[in-house]
Amino acid sequence: MSEKINFETNIKELEEIVAKLEKNDIPLDESLKLFERGVMLSAQCNKLLDEAEQKVNVLLKKDGEMVEQDFLMEDGE
C-alpha cells in the first residue's frame, strides 16, 4: 500500500462512511463496498492504536538502568 496510514485521516473517512451508511439511500452494492472499506479502516486504526500504546510505555531510570513502566498503571502502584 503506497499511501501513508494516518489515524486521523482514517477516522475521518470512517465517520464519513458511517454517515453514508446511516442514510440508507445508497444501493446495496455500494453499501457493501463502503462496509468493506470501513472494516479495513477500523482494522488499520486498531493497529495504529496498539502501536501507539506500546510506544507510550514510560521509561523510568532506576538504579542507573532504564525500566519500562506501563502508562496505564494507577497512581500509587
Side-chain angles (χ1 to χ4, degrees), residues 41-56:
L41 289 169
S42 176
Q44 286 180 350
C45 287
N46 282 329
K47 180 181 178 206
L48 291 169
L49 286 173
D50 288 343
E51 289 172 1
E53 184 177 3
Q54 290 173 3
K55 289 179 183 178
V56 176

Side-chain angles (χ1 to χ4, degrees), residues 4-65:
K4 183 179 177 188
I5 299 173
N6 180 290
F7 182 80
E8 290 78 11
T9 302
N10 286 355
I11 288 292
K12 183 178 179 185
E13 185 179 350
L14 193 53
E15 289 171 346
E16 291 169 359
I17 288 171
V18 169
K20 287 179 185 177
L21 290 173
E22 286 178 339
K23 288 183 181 179
N24 292 323
D25 63 350
I26 54 178
L28 180 60
D29 287 346
E30 187 177 344
S31 293
L32 287 172
K33 287 178 186 177
L34 287 171
F35 181 78
E36 287 178 36
R37 176 73 178 155
V39 169
M40 186 202 64
L41 289 169
S42 176
Q44 286 180 350
C45 287
N46 282 329
K47 180 181 178 206
L48 291 169
L49 286 173
D50 288 343
E51 289 172 1
E53 184 177 3
Q54 290 173 3
K55 289 179 183 178
V56 176
N57 287 330
V58 181
L59 292 175
L60 296 176
K61 195 167 193 170
K62 284 188 179 179
D63 299 324
E65 293 185 30

